[in-house]
Amino acid sequence: MKRCGLRFGLLGPPVLYDHGGDGAVVRPVGSPKLRALLAALLLEAGRTVSVDALKDALWGGVPPASAHASLHNHVTRLRRLLDDPARLRAVSPGYLLRVDDGELDVHVFEAHLATARAAHASRDWRRTLCECTAALALWRGTPLSGLPADLGGYPLVERLREARLLLLEWRYDAELALADGRPDALLPELSALAAEHPLREAYHRQLMLALHRSGRRAEALAVHRDLRHRLVEELGVEPGAAVRGAHLEVLRGSADEAHEADEAGEVDDAGEADDAGEAGDADDAGPAEAVAGTVAPEPPVRPAQLPPPPAHFTGRTCLADDLRRSLADPGTGPAVTVLTGMAGLGKSALALHIAHALTDRFPDGQLYVNLHGATPGMHPLTSAQALAALLRDVGADPRSIPEHPDAAAALLRSLLAPTRTLLVLDDAANAAQVRPLLPAGPGCAVIITSRSSLAALDGARRFPLTPLSAEDSAALLRAVSGRDDGIDAGHPLVELTGRLPLALRVVAARLAARRALTPEVLAGQLAATEGRLHHLEYDDLSVRRSLAVAHDALAASDREADRDAALVLCRIGALDLPEYGAPLLARLSDIGTRRAEDALDRLVDVALLEETALGRYVPHDLVRDFARELAGTEGGTAVVETALNWYAALAEHTLTAIVDPGLDQDDRRRPTSSQPPEHASHVTGTRPFAGPEEAFAWGDTELENVVALAERYADAPEPRIAARLCTLLRLIFPYLQRGGRVAEMEPLGRAALRVARRLGDEAAEAYALGDLAGLHFFTGRQNDALALNDQALAIWRRLGFLSWIRRSLNNRGLLLEGLGRYEESGRALRQSLAYSRRLNDPYGEAVTHQHLGNLYEHTDARAAIEQHRLSLAIGETIGNVLLQLYARCNIGYAHLTLGEPAAAARHFEDTLRDLAGQGDWHGESQARLGLVRSLRLLGRTERAGRECAELLRRADARADRYMGGLARHQHGLLLRESGRPEEARSAWTAAREALDGTDEKTVLAELTSLLAAHA
């Protein structure tokens, strides 16, 4: 890059450069708003910056009402200042400033930095001096100075400041090594740097050497004494090897040893700098020399191009063993392996770790090509470029390399066919890029790394990488940071980094660079911010940049699916859910379901999402953070409202699919005062379910997301969000009750109650109270259920909703019967029956007959059966299957009371058979429990045991402790009858623990007696 190509400057206050006969001339930008606008665009050079982000940059998050028009005016003024106004274009959703190579001083500075780093590492002192001087000449002061603190760019500023300090270190290393001029000329600058950075050992080492070589030995020793005192007092550490070497030179006073000690110091300092940026991955290693460098006069006979193995490779033992076996036994063709996974998982590190371990098996050489499929700031290599590089590396005459890619690929296969050569193709973009590079000879092997699965690459064996284990993550942190102060598998840093090797390396580099920074303090910083990615940048390591490569490529693509994928990722950031499906994201992105499916496939392909089950997608935690940054605050509330509208509409379809037509369905669907008026249009705009099975499947799939939305937005201040959440929770509760989703009913019921009360929606409040009462009934807490039910009854009476008064009275009678308050129960049930007849509600009448049957069972089981038969007859008349099944189940329990287990078993078996596919957990669990009791009484213990085990399995899957406790009671009785008293006691103990706190007094008393008898 040439200095004369500069157009923009951020290494100081933002400036523009003009070019004339005297070269580049700095042109300050006078207006503070224009400086902020220019800086915001240059910080995302070549990428679109949203209008909202630019408003935040100019007005600090509180833009005036005229911000949009004012921003347009500032953009127009900035265009006039540019050498080419067309550089600054409006690109949805904001503006893009075109910055070509060599035009931004930060890019030029970093290029010189990279060259200086390499020259310093190879001890090319003149090149080091030249590159460091060129880079430092660009520095005009603190980057982004004169701008508001909240503009952003803090990680960049810190990285550039650290880079400048490294460049100064390397420059003085070079000047001391070259011994050009007098070392005393360096003393003023080195003295100032040592004073400014009292704990930075390199400047003190250099100052000691310059003083000593200027004949000021006593002062050099004083510098060492003061430095050592500070390090011991403040950090509790001794000076490093480099300072000790310089101290030894001063003590010996030998000019020959001086140069040896100086070189030892340079190596140590370089190692410290490099350690911060290398901890197990090799994504930045590349074959730049092979692709763009000069062709050597004599090509190597045995290429050995592998970059150094990762210094701190940790974990993945089983995966590494599988990979070695796959590569060591190629069979009839070359062994081709693909390491896949998201950015920062250590794919390159694993590839190099294995490649170095297998060099003996490939005596004809090891080739390495970085294909730059996802390298920040670089375009992927074409197959033709990679082929040309590989052919030169294996000895082909550059003049004889075919121009046509097919011919070049054939030549490469011919040259490799008789050899045993290992190829490492790092960071592949897609299968098309890799396919021409593959050898055909059986002696060769290939390791490919890619974010894509490269599913179109035939014959390859894939090894998907996942985040490290907690133990391996902690080990990597300790190894890279050199710290062992309490970093174990349970340390917060492990999960805060998502166990991603790249993020772990960044954190470890921070700990290594700042010895005073404790792991606990750093963990607190990561946990205290919504944007962890700001803290996961250090020097050239950046989780954000690694993820941005994939997103930016998608956003800039000409393919519809790619652009849709970028949009979908933004929507994911705006709506944080446990998992995602195509229908929801199609609604959020305003695209069709097919397009959403294609977009999700692309996000999986570039490793920004993982498909954890068919049609269900989950991002890594750090991808979530990146997606949130993409979304920002733009459209956040609207996205949440859209999601809640969709969920509420589908919840109503679930309701109509699983609840038979009639008053129960109509009442639940009737809008309450807070229901948004447009809800009906959302319902008609979504497809109904084909039947109960499909509805239950949808609910089971989306329930975790519904719980997450309720927990996040139940206390949100926005009334529009609260109203939509209130509607959703009212409509979805019948699914929860029928499906026996006990674990989810409580948080959703309590959220519904809070939202309804905050909105002042009395009907919604009564729904929530009644739904919570139902939960307590299902879990054996009848007293709690009765209190909630009575509160709901009072509201319904105040509102005059007769059908709900009828239901509440019916439920009151049921609960009082369970509590042994039979007279009150009968009174409430008879009142409910009167309301049913007044409302001409046969369904309600049938339910009340069932509850009367349960009441009569305590005194006259034959009369109870008659009540259940009345309910059965009504169910048959109106065609309600569930009514009929519940009636048969209740008749079975009446026969048990009569001591007729055979008759009871027939009713329970009929009920279970016909309940299949209905998804009604309460009915199924009661029927199966009755069947277990009947079979046990009939002496059919083997069949009873199987049914009991199935009941336990289903209850535990739903976290239904109450039904699980009742089942374990029966399980213990079966075990006792099988001659296994100890196991029976364990089952009864577990049953008592599960039923403790419930109102199931009879069973609890029996359990206490059983445990006492078998003590």
Side-chain angles (χ1 to χ4, degrees), residues 671-673 760-767 791-805:
T672 65
S673 62
D761 187 338
E762 284 196 294
E765 180 183 355
Y767 277 114
Q791 292 180 53
L793 175 58
I795 295 175
W796 292 126
R797 279 179 166 153
R798 187 164 60 250
L799 294 175
F801 283 20
L802 298 185
S803 56
W804 275 106
I805 295 172

Side-chain angles (χ1 to χ4, degrees), residues 662-735:
L663 268 179
D664 269 26
Q665 185 191 111
D666 294 342
D667 283 351
R668 183 67 70 154
R669 294 179 65 193
R670 183 175 293 112
T672 65
S673 62
S674 65
Q675 178 171 301
E678 64 271 21
H679 170 72
S681 64
H682 294 305
V683 174
T684 57
T686 49
R687 183 184 67 83
F689 295 113
E693 188 173 351
E694 186 182 3
F696 276 112
W698 177 86
D700 294 345
T701 299
E702 297 291 348
L703 183 54
E704 188 179 7
N705 287 348
V706 172
V707 173
L709 287 169
E711 290 176 344
R712 187 170 300 120
Y713 297 110
D715 300 309
E718 297 89 348
R720 290 174 58 85
I721 289 179
R724 284 155 178 78
L725 180 60
C726 187
T727 302
L728 163 61
L729 295 178
R730 183 185 88 246
L731 294 170
I732 205 168
F733 235 88
Y735 150 77

Side-chain angles (χ1 to χ4, degrees), residues 428-467:
N430 49 54
Q433 183 191 35
V434 168
R435 198 175 287 112
L437 313 180
L438 300 180
C444 295
V446 185
I447 305 175
I448 306 169
T449 72
S450 178
R451 297 187 187 184
S452 169
S453 65
L454 305 186
L457 198 63
D458 294 335
R461 185 177 177 192
R462 289 162 185 82
F463 294 84
L465 271 66
T466 58

Side-chain angles (χ1 to χ4, degrees), residues 526-583:
L526 286 171
T529 177
E530 293 183 0
R532 279 179 290 178
L533 299 183
H534 290 294
H535 294 280
L536 296 178
E537 292 189 353
Y538 189 85
D539 199 357
D540 60 344
L541 300 176
S542 171
V543 174
R544 179 191 285 108
R545 286 200 301 273
S546 296
L547 298 172
V549 172
H551 167 266
D552 293 350
L554 293 171
S557 172
D558 293 331
R559 295 177 57 197
E560 180 183 69
D562 287 354
R563 295 194 303 275
D564 286 345
L567 175 61
V568 164
L569 186 63
C570 187
R571 294 295 179 263
I572 287 173
L575 186 72
D576 195 0
L577 294 175
E579 59 181 24
Y580 301 87

